[in-house]
Amino acid sequence: ALTVLTTPVAAPVLEGNPWVRHIHLLRRTPRHYLSLVRAVRDARYDVVVDGKITRGASFVRSPALTMMSRAPLRLGVGGGNHALVYNLCVERFDRTTTHMVEGSASLARPFGVDPASVDLRPELFLSSDERRHAERQWLTAAAQHETYGGRWLVNLSAGGAERRWPPDRWVALLRHLRARRPHATIGVMGVTAEWDAVQHVARSVRASAVPAPTLRDALAMVGSAAHVLTSNTSITHAASAFAVP
């Protein structure tokens, strides 16, 4: 029985996941943290896996919660003083040479799983309503410009400014795509705060601005696309989960 501890922002990724029995939400207030500690301790978990594998050797929130869980088996990245918290340690990896997904997969080794022998792509699960809503969005976009030559989803948003392309770069790229694929249905999406940029890019290349106000809306658009263009790694991982290039 698998329980996941995550933030309210990330929790929607796990909606509909049949492998997850329960989700603990981590809110950054002292009162909630104390309540979370009690809930984790009362659950009497047999194993706690700390997924923060890029951390240096230090006592911070996640190792502290792992220790306070009183779980007999506590798995995390080794190094420094971490052996005081974890009685199952995996080797810390170099992010400059090892992909984050491969590094995370090393946490499966203590359970007898060889990461090289399994498919490491993530899994996402959409509801029927989410799929129908995304399908309506694509049909509307195709009808708007009478384009029925394949679905290209363009995501403008990114987590940090260093990963965010300026709109004129997107316009130049999509004009090239439009010239190569004149009948393609192109949907452009982004976070609500960037809606003006989304509309500007869409108007410039005979594409449709696609509202995706929630993370689940964005995931449904990714899962129903034929191709995805993005500078954002989270959307890239989502495309991988749906096997969308």
Side-chain angles (χ1 to χ4, degrees):
L2 180 65
T3 293
V4 177
L5 168 65
T6 188
T7 64
V9 172
V13 172
L14 298 172
E15 288 182 17
N17 192 314
W19 311 114
V20 177
R21 181 186 65 173
H22 181 67
I23 299 173
H24 287 303
L25 294 180
L26 175 61
R27 294 186 173 90
R28 303 179 188 281
T29 65
R31 180 178 179 180
H32 178 78
Y33 190 72
L34 291 175
S35 175
L36 176 63
V37 169
R38 287 193 292 268
V40 170
R41 184 174 292 176
D42 292 345
R44 300 179 180 233
Y45 293 110
D46 299 300
V47 184
V48 169
V49 180
D50 184 353
K52 294 281 283 184
I53 59 175
T54 59
R55 183 195 304 104
S58 61
F59 282 105
V60 289
R61 183 184 290 108
S62 193
L65 186 61
T66 299
M67 179 61 80
M68 287 185 285
S69 72
R70 298 177 179 174
L73 296 176
R74 302 177 302 278
L75 170 60
V77 67
N81 55 15
H82 281 197
L84 300 176
V85 177
Y86 310 110
N87 50 22
L88 290 173
C89 292
V90 297
E91 184 178 354
R92 195 176 173 203
F93 72 98
D94 183 355
R95 290 191 67 179
T96 63
T97 59
T98 304
H99 194 279
M100 183 70 180
V101 171
E102 294 172 330
S104 297
S106 67
L107 294 168
R109 290 189 183 279
F111 300 100
V113 177
D114 177 9
S117 67
V118 297
D119 185 353
L120 298 182
R121 287 183 302 177
E123 285 187 297
L124 293 170
F125 301 87
L126 297 174
S127 69
S128 298
D129 286 343
E130 288 170 332
R131 291 186 180 277
R132 280 193 291 268
H133 178 69
E135 190 67 23
R136 287 195 296 269
Q137 295 268 58
W138 282 114
L139 291 175
T140 300
Q144 182 179 1
H145 300 290
E146 296 185 349
T147 51
Y148 301 95
R151 298 172 175 179
W152 291 74
L153 179 66
V154 181
N155 172 66
L156 302 191
S157 301
E162 72 282 357
R163 296 182 180 179
R164 194 172 297 123
W165 252 22
D168 62 320
R169 297 287 185 90
W170 281 113
V171 170
L173 173 64
L174 295 181
R175 281 176 176 166
H176 178 70
L177 172 62
R178 176 59 74 200
R180 295 284 301 273
R181 300 285 190 275
H183 302 295
T185 300
I186 302 176
V188 184
M189 73 174 187
V191 296
T192 303
E194 297 179 33
W195 186 241
D196 287 345
V198 169
Q199 291 181 305
H200 166 69
V201 171
R203 284 194 302 266
S204 301
V205 295
R206 203 161 56 92
S208 297
V210 179
T214 71
L215 177 57
R216 296 294 302 185
D217 292 329
L219 295 180
M221 291 303 299
V222 173
S224 54
H227 305 274
V228 171
L229 295 174
T230 182
S231 61
N232 178 271
T233 52
S234 62
I235 294 296
T236 302
H237 288 304
S240 173
F242 294 117
V244 175

